[in-house]
Amino acid sequence: ESIYVEKRIIDVEKEALCVLSSVLDIIGDTFGIFSFFSMGRNRIFYNIIKDFYEEWHPETQGRIPGIVGKASNRDGCAIRHTVSRLLTLPHKTKLFILLSDGIPADLHYGSTSSGETNVYAIEDTRRAIIEARQGGIVPYCITIDHRAKEYIPRLYGDFNYAIINDVIQLPQKLTKLYIKLTK
């Protein structure tokens, strides 16, 4: 008899981060882990889980359980902040991977109308991705949103995203995807 315990999406995402981070540490790639959430334009929270030059040791690993899913997501703002950090690195290849559970959205992210807010949020995120590319950064999105085909190609183009239908596969797919993207 087996007992099935359903995992929350955020827990699977954290598991995937641990798996990928351990692989990156073993192969010696520089990486950072950042989380973010927002509650309106004046309350945007950007958290450094592991900065680029921090070691992947028990202290930094211990920060991952502290990541919690909260409120909304102003993706454009978080992308710009992360890109500004990436631009300071001397590395030739700079890859930005966003793990997403859905469409960019926040309270009044462009308007009080939810339809207009979604349009603005998508365009702001799209612009941040264009700015990242102009800086020589390769943006890539991994999402579990089953409706992502409606908006994600507009943001990341035809090939710079993956939609994961079974969130339990995320840890394995994330590692394989990283290896593919960095070849």
Side-chain angles (χ1 to χ4, degrees):
E1 182 177 326
S2 66
I3 299 174
Y4 177 75
V5 177
E6 188 172 324
K7 291 184 179 183
R8 296 178 315 154
I9 292 168
I10 188 76
D11 294 330
V12 176
E13 289 176 329
K14 291 189 278 189
E15 182 182 317
L17 283 173
C18 288
V19 170
L20 179 61
S21 297
S22 295
V23 169
L24 296 177
D25 183 55
I26 289 168
I27 63 176
D29 279 2
T30 300
F31 67 98
I33 302 171
F34 310 94
S35 69
F36 67 95
F37 67 93
S38 57
M39 296 186 289
R41 68 177 300 180
N42 295 319
R43 296 183 67 202
I44 299 168
F45 302 88
Y46 185 87
N47 303 300
I48 300 169
I49 309 304
K50 182 206 168 288
D51 213 345
F52 294 112
Y53 290 110
E54 281 186 284
E55 289 185 36
W56 182 241
H57 54 67
E59 182 183 332
T60 49
Q61 295 166 18
R63 295 177 195 150
I64 288 181
I67 299 172
V68 292
K70 288 186 181 180
S72 300
N73 55 306
R74 286 182 179 252
D75 288 7
C77 181
I79 290 167
R80 285 182 183 93
H81 195 71
T82 304
V83 163
S84 72
R85 299 177 75 81
L86 278 166
L87 289 172
T88 67
L89 298 177
H91 302 76
K92 181 180 175 186
T93 303
K94 297 175 186 177
L95 178 62
F96 170 86
I97 300 175
L98 177 71
L99 288 181
S100 173
D101 64 353
I103 193 166
D106 193 8
L107 180 67
H108 307 299
Y109 196 4
S111 170
T112 55
S113 159
S114 63
E116 290 176 31
T117 298
N118 287 347
V119 169
Y120 181 86
I122 288 170
E123 288 307 310
D124 180 54
T125 302
R126 182 176 162 276
R127 186 71 208 150
I129 292 164
I130 289 168
E131 292 164 7
R133 284 191 181 113
Q134 289 170 342
I137 295 166
V138 178
Y140 197 92
C141 181
I142 299 171
T143 185
I144 56 161
D145 184 3
H146 65 277
R147 298 172 307 172
K149 275 284 194 190
E150 299 170 13
Y151 63 88
I152 208 97
R154 174 132 179 87
L155 297 173
Y156 289 89
D158 292 332
F159 305 106
N160 284 20
Y161 67 90
I163 300 171
I164 307 292
N165 294 323
D166 182 1
V167 72
I168 299 300
Q169 295 176 356
L170 182 61
Q172 177 188 16
K173 289 195 177 215
L174 183 58
T175 303
K176 286 181 180 179
L177 184 63
Y178 179 81
I179 292 166
K180 179 182 169 185
L181 290 171
T182 55
K183 280 188 177 180

mmCIF file of all heavy atoms in Angstrom, residues 65-111:
data_model
loop_
_atom_site.group_PDB
_atom_site.id
_atom_site.type_symbol
_atom_site.label_atom_id
_atom_site.label_comp_id
_atom_site.label_asym_id
_atom_site.label_seq_id
_atom_site.Cartn_x
_atom_site.Cartn_y
_atom_site.Cartn_z
ATOM 1 N N PRO A 65 14.272 26.784 2.115
ATOM 2 C CA PRO A 65 12.981 26.512 2.756
ATOM 3 C C PRO A 65 12.223 27.783 3.158
ATOM 4 O O PRO A 65 11.000 27.766 3.289
ATOM 5 C CB PRO A 65 13.351 25.691 3.996
ATOM 6 C CG PRO A 65 14.646 25.054 3.643
ATOM 7 C CD PRO A 65 15.361 26.066 2.785
ATOM 8 N N GLY A 66 12.936 28.878 3.306
ATOM 9 C CA GLY A 66 12.303 30.142 3.675
ATOM 10 C C GLY A 66 11.582 30.849 2.536
ATOM 11 O O GLY A 66 10.889 31.839 2.752
ATOM 12 N N ILE A 67 11.730 30.347 1.316
ATOM 13 C CA ILE A 67 11.015 30.937 0.191
ATOM 14 C C ILE A 67 9.544 30.570 0.332
ATOM 15 O O ILE A 67 9.193 29.402 0.477
ATOM 16 C CB ILE A 67 11.554 30.407 -1.160
ATOM 17 C CG1 ILE A 67 13.025 30.759 -1.343
ATOM 18 C CG2 ILE A 67 10.724 30.966 -2.313
ATOM 19 C CD1 ILE A 67 13.663 30.110 -2.566
ATOM 20 N N VAL A 68 8.709 31.574 0.304
ATOM 21 C CA VAL A 68 7.275 31.331 0.413
ATOM 22 C C VAL A 68 6.542 32.014 -0.741
ATOM 23 O O VAL A 68 6.975 33.050 -1.231
ATOM 24 C CB VAL A 68 6.704 31.840 1.764
ATOM 25 C CG1 VAL A 68 7.234 31.010 2.916
ATOM 26 C CG2 VAL A 68 7.015 33.302 1.984
ATOM 27 N N GLY A 69 5.478 31.394 -1.172
ATOM 28 C CA GLY A 69 4.641 31.987 -2.206
ATOM 29 C C GLY A 69 3.734 33.027 -1.550
ATOM 30 O O GLY A 69 2.997 32.703 -0.623
ATOM 31 N N LYS A 70 3.846 34.247 -2.010
ATOM 32 C CA LYS A 70 3.048 35.324 -1.421
ATOM 33 C C LYS A 70 2.514 36.230 -2.525
ATOM 34 O O LYS A 70 3.161 36.417 -3.548
ATOM 35 C CB LYS A 70 3.899 36.208 -0.503
ATOM 36 C CG LYS A 70 4.308 35.598 0.785
ATOM 37 C CD LYS A 70 5.009 36.641 1.618
ATOM 38 C CE LYS A 70 5.483 36.086 2.924
ATOM 39 N NZ LYS A 70 6.170 37.081 3.730
ATOM 40 N N ALA A 71 1.399 36.777 -2.288
ATOM 41 C CA ALA A 71 0.836 37.894 -3.031
ATOM 42 C C ALA A 71 0.940 37.748 -4.550
ATOM 43 O O ALA A 71 0.560 36.736 -5.107
ATOM 44 C CB ALA A 71 1.440 39.197 -2.538
ATOM 45 N N SER A 72 1.520 38.759 -5.197
ATOM 46 C CA SER A 72 1.525 38.849 -6.656
ATOM 47 C C SER A 72 2.948 38.877 -7.187
ATOM 48 O O SER A 72 3.902 38.751 -6.436
ATOM 49 C CB SER A 72 0.787 40.116 -7.076
ATOM 50 O OG SER A 72 -0.549 40.077 -6.623
ATOM 51 N N ASN A 73 3.058 39.080 -8.505
ATOM 52 C CA ASN A 73 4.389 39.086 -9.107
ATOM 53 C C ASN A 73 4.493 40.123 -10.225
ATOM 54 O O ASN A 73 3.857 40.004 -11.240
ATOM 55 C CB ASN A 73 4.768 37.696 -9.623
ATOM 56 C CG ASN A 73 3.759 37.116 -10.583
ATOM 57 O OD1 ASN A 73 2.581 37.033 -10.267
ATOM 58 N ND2 ASN A 73 4.200 36.726 -11.757
ATOM 59 N N ARG A 74 5.318 41.125 -9.980
ATOM 60 C CA ARG A 74 5.692 42.110 -10.996
ATOM 61 C C ARG A 74 6.967 41.602 -11.648
ATOM 62 O O ARG A 74 8.073 41.981 -11.271
ATOM 63 C CB ARG A 74 5.916 43.479 -10.364
ATOM 64 C CG ARG A 74 4.644 44.148 -9.957
ATOM 65 C CD ARG A 74 4.905 45.539 -9.381
ATOM 66 N NE ARG A 74 3.620 46.108 -9.044
ATOM 67 C CZ ARG A 74 3.037 47.097 -9.707
ATOM 68 N NH1 ARG A 74 3.652 47.667 -10.721
ATOM 69 N NH2 ARG A 74 1.849 47.525 -9.358
ATOM 70 N N ASP A 75 6.807 40.728 -12.621
ATOM 71 C CA ASP A 75 7.962 40.082 -13.238
ATOM 72 C C ASP A 75 8.931 41.088 -13.846
ATOM 73 O O ASP A 75 10.140 40.918 -13.742
ATOM 74 C CB ASP A 75 7.511 39.094 -14.310
ATOM 75 C CG ASP A 75 6.870 37.841 -13.739
ATOM 76 O OD1 ASP A 75 6.646 37.780 -12.515
ATOM 77 O OD2 ASP A 75 6.596 36.925 -14.527
ATOM 78 N N GLY A 76 8.414 42.119 -14.496
ATOM 79 C CA GLY A 76 9.292 43.099 -15.134
ATOM 80 C C GLY A 76 10.265 43.715 -14.148
ATOM 81 O O GLY A 76 11.463 43.834 -14.412
ATOM 82 N N CYS A 77 9.784 44.072 -12.997
ATOM 83 C CA CYS A 77 10.625 44.678 -11.952
ATOM 84 C C CYS A 77 11.700 43.696 -11.488
ATOM 85 O O CYS A 77 12.878 44.038 -11.391
ATOM 86 C CB CYS A 77 9.746 45.109 -10.790
ATOM 87 S SG CYS A 77 10.646 45.883 -9.454
ATOM 88 N N ALA A 78 11.302 42.468 -11.202
ATOM 89 C CA ALA A 78 12.261 41.460 -10.725
ATOM 90 C C ALA A 78 13.290 41.119 -11.791
ATOM 91 O O ALA A 78 14.472 40.945 -11.490
ATOM 92 C CB ALA A 78 11.513 40.202 -10.288
ATOM 93 N N ILE A 79 12.848 41.043 -13.045
ATOM 94 C CA ILE A 79 13.785 40.758 -14.136
ATOM 95 C C ILE A 79 14.814 41.871 -14.245
ATOM 96 O O ILE A 79 16.015 41.619 -14.347
ATOM 97 C CB ILE A 79 13.027 40.552 -15.468
ATOM 98 C CG1 ILE A 79 12.250 39.233 -15.412
ATOM 99 C CG2 ILE A 79 13.994 40.572 -16.651
ATOM 100 C CD1 ILE A 79 11.238 39.071 -16.530
ATOM 101 N N ARG A 80 14.360 43.117 -14.208
ATOM 102 C CA ARG A 80 15.295 44.248 -14.302
ATOM 103 C C ARG A 80 16.306 44.236 -13.158
ATOM 104 O O ARG A 80 17.484 44.502 -13.362
ATOM 105 C CB ARG A 80 14.523 45.562 -14.325
ATOM 106 C CG ARG A 80 13.851 45.830 -15.634
ATOM 107 C CD ARG A 80 13.124 47.191 -15.637
ATOM 108 N NE ARG A 80 12.431 47.355 -16.890
ATOM 109 C CZ ARG A 80 11.152 47.009 -17.094
ATOM 110 N NH1 ARG A 80 10.433 46.519 -16.089
ATOM 111 N NH2 ARG A 80 10.591 47.178 -18.273
ATOM 112 N N HIS A 81 15.843 43.940 -11.977
ATOM 113 C CA HIS A 81 16.755 43.933 -10.830
ATOM 114 C C HIS A 81 17.797 42.819 -10.972
ATOM 115 O O HIS A 81 18.983 43.033 -10.731
ATOM 116 C CB HIS A 81 15.968 43.777 -9.528
ATOM 117 C CG HIS A 81 16.763 44.105 -8.317
ATOM 118 N ND1 HIS A 81 17.138 45.391 -7.997
ATOM 119 C CD2 HIS A 81 17.292 43.308 -7.362
ATOM 120 C CE1 HIS A 81 17.859 45.377 -6.892
ATOM 121 N NE2 HIS A 81 17.972 44.124 -6.487
ATOM 122 N N THR A 82 17.355 41.650 -11.386
ATOM 123 C CA THR A 82 18.278 40.530 -11.558
ATOM 124 C C THR A 82 19.250 40.798 -12.701
ATOM 125 O O THR A 82 20.444 40.509 -12.597
ATOM 126 C CB THR A 82 17.503 39.219 -11.794
ATOM 127 O OG1 THR A 82 16.601 39.021 -10.690
ATOM 128 C CG2 THR A 82 18.440 38.033 -11.898
ATOM 129 N N VAL A 83 18.746 41.368 -13.790
ATOM 130 C CA VAL A 83 19.600 41.705 -14.939
ATOM 131 C C VAL A 83 20.682 42.697 -14.512
ATOM 132 O O VAL A 83 21.849 42.552 -14.896
ATOM 133 C CB VAL A 83 18.759 42.233 -16.117
ATOM 134 C CG1 VAL A 83 19.620 42.956 -17.138
ATOM 135 C CG2 VAL A 83 17.995 41.087 -16.772
ATOM 136 N N SER A 84 20.326 43.679 -13.707
ATOM 137 C CA SER A 84 21.340 44.651 -13.264
ATOM 138 C C SER A 84 22.442 43.943 -12.475
ATOM 139 O O SER A 84 23.607 44.305 -12.557
ATOM 140 C CB SER A 84 20.709 45.779 -12.444
ATOM 141 O OG SER A 84 20.303 45.322 -11.178
ATOM 142 N N ARG A 85 22.098 42.920 -11.727
ATOM 143 C CA ARG A 85 23.090 42.139 -10.975
ATOM 144 C C ARG A 85 23.930 41.297 -11.938
ATOM 145 O O ARG A 85 25.137 41.186 -11.782
ATOM 146 C CB ARG A 85 22.402 41.257 -9.948
ATOM 147 C CG ARG A 85 21.608 42.044 -8.903
ATOM 148 C CD ARG A 85 20.880 41.118 -7.955
ATOM 149 N NE ARG A 85 21.815 40.517 -7.017
ATOM 150 C CZ ARG A 85 22.280 41.107 -5.922
ATOM 151 N NH1 ARG A 85 21.907 42.325 -5.625
ATOM 152 N NH2 ARG A 85 23.135 40.481 -5.135
ATOM 153 N N LEU A 86 23.277 40.679 -12.919
ATOM 154 C CA LEU A 86 23.996 39.851 -13.899
ATOM 155 C C LEU A 86 24.986 40.672 -14.723
ATOM 156 O O LEU A 86 26.064 40.183 -15.073
ATOM 157 C CB LEU A 86 23.004 39.164 -14.840
ATOM 158 C CG LEU A 86 22.359 37.885 -14.338
ATOM 159 C CD1 LEU A 86 21.161 37.513 -15.199
ATOM 160 C CD2 LEU A 86 23.366 36.757 -14.322
ATOM 161 N N LEU A 87 24.630 41.889 -15.025
ATOM 162 C CA LEU A 87 25.499 42.735 -15.850
ATOM 163 C C LEU A 87 26.825 43.059 -15.174
ATOM 164 O O LEU A 87 27.793 43.399 -15.841
ATOM 165 C CB LEU A 87 24.776 44.024 -16.253
ATOM 166 C CG LEU A 87 23.649 43.848 -17.269
ATOM 167 C CD1 LEU A 87 22.874 45.149 -17.461
ATOM 168 C CD2 LEU A 87 24.182 43.315 -18.596
ATOM 169 N N THR A 88 26.890 42.909 -13.870
ATOM 170 C CA THR A 88 28.143 43.183 -13.153
ATOM 171 C C THR A 88 29.116 42.005 -13.215
ATOM 172 O O THR A 88 30.277 42.158 -12.853
ATOM 173 C CB THR A 88 27.880 43.523 -11.672
ATOM 174 O OG1 THR A 88 27.372 42.365 -11.006
ATOM 175 C CG2 THR A 88 26.902 44.688 -11.531
ATOM 176 N N LEU A 89 28.626 40.856 -13.664
ATOM 177 C CA LEU A 89 29.481 39.663 -13.720
ATOM 178 C C LEU A 89 30.356 39.677 -14.969
ATOM 179 O O LEU A 89 29.909 40.095 -16.031
ATOM 180 C CB LEU A 89 28.625 38.396 -13.716
ATOM 181 C CG LEU A 89 27.755 38.163 -12.484
ATOM 182 C CD1 LEU A 89 26.915 36.905 -12.663
ATOM 183 C CD2 LEU A 89 28.604 38.060 -11.233
ATOM 184 N N PRO A 90 31.590 39.178 -14.866
ATOM 185 C CA PRO A 90 32.491 39.172 -16.016
ATOM 186 C C PRO A 90 32.278 37.998 -16.976
ATOM 187 O O PRO A 90 32.926 37.918 -18.007
ATOM 188 C CB PRO A 90 33.871 39.061 -15.347
ATOM 189 C CG PRO A 90 33.600 38.268 -14.107
ATOM 190 C CD PRO A 90 32.241 38.706 -13.641
ATOM 191 N N HIS A 91 31.382 37.108 -16.665
ATOM 192 C CA HIS A 91 31.196 35.892 -17.449
ATOM 193 C C HIS A 91 30.700 36.178 -18.863
ATOM 194 O O HIS A 91 29.900 37.090 -19.081
ATOM 195 C CB HIS A 91 30.218 34.960 -16.730
ATOM 196 C CG HIS A 91 30.667 34.596 -15.358
ATOM 197 N ND1 HIS A 91 30.573 35.463 -14.296
ATOM 198 C CD2 HIS A 91 31.233 33.473 -14.873
ATOM 199 C CE1 HIS A 91 31.045 34.886 -13.217
ATOM 200 N NE2 HIS A 91 31.468 33.678 -13.534
ATOM 201 N N LYS A 92 31.159 35.355 -19.790
ATOM 202 C CA LYS A 92 30.756 35.499 -21.189
ATOM 203 C C LYS A 92 29.291 35.096 -21.382
ATOM 204 O O LYS A 92 28.524 35.790 -22.042
ATOM 205 C CB LYS A 92 31.661 34.639 -22.082
ATOM 206 C CG LYS A 92 31.342 34.730 -23.551
ATOM 207 C CD LYS A 92 32.261 33.850 -24.378
ATOM 208 C CE LYS A 92 31.817 33.870 -25.830
ATOM 209 N NZ LYS A 92 32.587 32.928 -26.637
ATOM 210 N N THR A 93 28.905 33.970 -20.813
ATOM 211 C CA THR A 93 27.529 33.486 -20.932
ATOM 212 C C THR A 93 26.760 33.830 -19.672
ATOM 213 O O THR A 93 27.186 33.483 -18.567
ATOM 214 C CB THR A 93 27.510 31.956 -21.160
ATOM 215 O OG1 THR A 93 28.266 31.656 -22.324
ATOM 216 C CG2 THR A 93 26.094 31.445 -21.326
ATOM 217 N N LYS A 94 25.640 34.502 -19.859
ATOM 218 C CA LYS A 94 24.798 34.887 -18.728
ATOM 219 C C LYS A 94 23.375 34.430 -19.024
ATOM 220 O O LYS A 94 22.717 34.940 -19.926
ATOM 221 C CB LYS A 94 24.845 36.393 -18.508
ATOM 222 C CG LYS A 94 26.228 36.883 -18.155
ATOM 223 C CD LYS A 94 26.292 38.375 -18.055
ATOM 224 C CE LYS A 94 27.738 38.809 -17.836
ATOM 225 N NZ LYS A 94 27.875 40.256 -17.801
ATOM 226 N N LEU A 95 22.934 33.478 -18.252
ATOM 227 C CA LEU A 95 21.628 32.871 -18.432
ATOM 228 C C LEU A 95 20.727 33.278 -17.272
ATOM 229 O O LEU A 95 21.130 33.199 -16.112
ATOM 230 C CB LEU A 95 21.775 31.346 -18.484
ATOM 231 C CG LEU A 95 20.532 30.499 -18.629
ATOM 232 C CD1 LEU A 95 19.807 30.787 -19.941
ATOM 233 C CD2 LEU A 95 20.922 29.017 -18.571
ATOM 234 N N PHE A 96 19.542 33.722 -17.599
ATOM 235 C CA PHE A 96 18.547 34.113 -16.608
ATOM 236 C C PHE A 96 17.365 33.152 -16.750
ATOM 237 O O PHE A 96 16.738 33.108 -17.800
ATOM 238 C CB PHE A 96 18.099 35.559 -16.863
ATOM 239 C CG PHE A 96 16.917 35.978 -16.040
ATOM 240 C CD1 PHE A 96 17.096 36.471 -14.768
ATOM 241 C CD2 PHE A 96 15.626 35.896 -16.549
ATOM 242 C CE1 PHE A 96 16.005 36.859 -14.008
ATOM 243 C CE2 PHE A 96 14.536 36.279 -15.797
ATOM 244 C CZ PHE A 96 14.724 36.761 -14.521
ATOM 245 N N ILE A 97 17.093 32.350 -15.730
ATOM 246 C CA ILE A 97 15.969 31.421 -15.765
ATOM 247 C C ILE A 97 14.941 31.862 -14.731
ATOM 248 O O ILE A 97 15.255 32.001 -13.548
ATOM 249 C CB ILE A 97 16.414 29.974 -15.464
ATOM 250 C CG1 ILE A 97 17.433 29.497 -16.493
ATOM 251 C CG2 ILE A 97 15.195 29.044 -15.445
ATOM 252 C CD1 ILE A 97 18.015 28.118 -16.194
ATOM 253 N N LEU A 98 13.730 32.081 -15.198
ATOM 254 C CA LEU A 98 12.633 32.448 -14.311
ATOM 255 C C LEU A 98 11.722 31.244 -14.141
ATOM 256 O O LEU A 98 11.218 30.699 -15.121
ATOM 257 C CB LEU A 98 11.831 33.613 -14.905
ATOM 258 C CG LEU A 98 10.606 34.046 -14.104
ATOM 259 C CD1 LEU A 98 11.026 34.738 -12.817
ATOM 260 C CD2 LEU A 98 9.729 34.970 -14.929
ATOM 261 N N LEU A 99 11.545 30.801 -12.895
ATOM 262 C CA LEU A 99 10.555 29.774 -12.591
ATOM 263 C C LEU A 99 9.251 30.495 -12.299
ATOM 264 O O LEU A 99 9.205 31.340 -11.407
ATOM 265 C CB LEU A 99 10.954 28.960 -11.363
ATOM 266 C CG LEU A 99 12.098 27.993 -11.487
ATOM 267 C CD1 LEU A 99 12.322 27.272 -10.158
ATOM 268 C CD2 LEU A 99 11.844 26.979 -12.577
ATOM 269 N N SER A 100 8.219 30.172 -13.034
ATOM 270 C CA SER A 100 6.969 30.909 -12.917
ATOM 271 C C SER A 100 5.790 29.972 -12.720
ATOM 272 O O SER A 100 5.726 28.900 -13.302
ATOM 273 C CB SER A 100 6.750 31.731 -14.192
ATOM 274 O OG SER A 100 5.476 32.335 -14.187
ATOM 275 N N ASP A 101 4.847 30.429 -11.903
ATOM 276 C CA ASP A 101 3.618 29.654 -11.749
ATOM 277 C C ASP A 101 2.452 30.309 -12.476
ATOM 278 O O ASP A 101 1.333 29.818 -12.415
ATOM 279 C CB ASP A 101 3.288 29.445 -10.270
ATOM 280 C CG ASP A 101 3.004 30.744 -9.547
ATOM 281 O OD1 ASP A 101 3.176 31.825 -10.133
ATOM 282 O OD2 ASP A 101 2.595 30.682 -8.370
ATOM 283 N N GLY A 102 2.705 31.420 -13.161
ATOM 284 C CA GLY A 102 1.603 32.033 -13.894
ATOM 285 C C GLY A 102 1.922 33.378 -14.490
ATOM 286 O O GLY A 102 3.051 33.851 -14.446
ATOM 287 N N ILE A 103 0.900 33.992 -15.018
ATOM 288 C CA ILE A 103 1.007 35.255 -15.741
ATOM 289 C C ILE A 103 1.482 36.372 -14.808
ATOM 290 O O ILE A 103 1.122 36.397 -13.632
ATOM 291 C CB ILE A 103 -0.366 35.597 -16.373
ATOM 292 C CG1 ILE A 103 -0.242 36.721 -17.382
ATOM 293 C CG2 ILE A 103 -1.403 35.900 -15.309
ATOM 294 C CD1 ILE A 103 -1.477 36.878 -18.266
ATOM 295 N N PRO A 104 2.318 37.299 -15.309
ATOM 296 C CA PRO A 104 2.700 38.450 -14.491
ATOM 297 C C PRO A 104 1.446 39.246 -14.104
ATOM 298 O O PRO A 104 0.628 39.558 -14.967
ATOM 299 C CB PRO A 104 3.586 39.285 -15.417
ATOM 300 C CG PRO A 104 4.016 38.359 -16.499
ATOM 301 C CD PRO A 104 2.927 37.339 -16.636
ATOM 302 N N ALA A 105 1.304 39.538 -12.839
ATOM 303 C CA ALA A 105 0.117 40.257 -12.383
ATOM 304 C C ALA A 105 0.366 40.849 -11.002
ATOM 305 O O ALA A 105 1.100 40.294 -10.201
ATOM 306 C CB ALA A 105 -1.080 39.321 -12.332
ATOM 307 N N ASP A 106 -0.263 41.971 -10.760
ATOM 308 C CA ASP A 106 -0.212 42.601 -9.446
ATOM 309 C C ASP A 106 -1.318 43.650 -9.390
ATOM 310 O O ASP A 106 -1.828 44.095 -10.413
ATOM 311 C CB ASP A 106 1.153 43.253 -9.208
ATOM 312 C CG ASP A 106 1.377 43.650 -7.757
ATOM 313 O OD1 ASP A 106 0.554 43.290 -6.890
ATOM 314 O OD2 ASP A 106 2.385 44.316 -7.486
ATOM 315 N N LEU A 107 -1.634 44.054 -8.209
ATOM 316 C CA LEU A 107 -2.618 45.092 -7.980
ATOM 317 C C LEU A 107 -2.200 46.362 -8.718
ATOM 318 O O LEU A 107 -1.083 46.856 -8.528
ATOM 319 C CB LEU A 107 -2.735 45.368 -6.476
ATOM 320 C CG LEU A 107 -3.717 46.440 -6.055
ATOM 321 C CD1 LEU A 107 -5.146 45.973 -6.353
ATOM 322 C CD2 LEU A 107 -3.549 46.723 -4.576
ATOM 323 N N HIS A 108 -3.053 46.830 -9.596
ATOM 324 C CA HIS A 108 -2.817 48.070 -10.359
ATOM 325 C C HIS A 108 -1.510 48.038 -11.150
ATOM 326 O O HIS A 108 -0.843 49.052 -11.285
ATOM 327 C CB HIS A 108 -2.851 49.304 -9.454
ATOM 328 C CG HIS A 108 -4.090 49.391 -8.635
ATOM 329 N ND1 HIS A 108 -5.344 49.492 -9.190
ATOM 330 C CD2 HIS A 108 -4.273 49.362 -7.300
ATOM 331 C CE1 HIS A 108 -6.246 49.543 -8.227
ATOM 332 N NE2 HIS A 108 -5.621 49.454 -7.066
ATOM 333 N N TYR A 109 -1.152 46.878 -11.656
ATOM 334 C CA TYR A 109 0.044 46.759 -12.502
ATOM 335 C C TYR A 109 -0.331 47.332 -13.856
ATOM 336 O O TYR A 109 -0.513 46.623 -14.816
ATOM 337 C CB TYR A 109 0.453 45.293 -12.586
ATOM 338 C CG TYR A 109 1.855 44.996 -13.104
ATOM 339 C CD1 TYR A 109 2.780 45.984 -13.411
ATOM 340 C CD2 TYR A 109 2.255 43.685 -13.260
ATOM 341 C CE1 TYR A 109 4.053 45.666 -13.863
ATOM 342 C CE2 TYR A 109 3.529 43.352 -13.718
ATOM 343 C CZ TYR A 109 4.415 44.357 -14.013
ATOM 344 O OH TYR A 109 5.676 44.032 -14.470
ATOM 345 N N GLY A 110 -0.496 48.643 -13.892
ATOM 346 C CA GLY A 110 -0.823 49.346 -15.120
ATOM 347 C C GLY A 110 -2.181 50.001 -15.100
ATOM 348 O O GLY A 110 -2.383 51.026 -15.717
ATOM 349 N N SER A 111 -3.160 49.454 -14.377
ATOM 350 C CA SER A 111 -4.506 49.998 -14.423
ATOM 351 C C SER A 111 -5.334 49.386 -13.304
ATOM 352 O O SER A 111 -4.957 48.400 -12.687
ATOM 353 C CB SER A 111 -5.138 49.663 -15.782
ATOM 354 O OG SER A 111 -6.499 49.962 -15.780
#
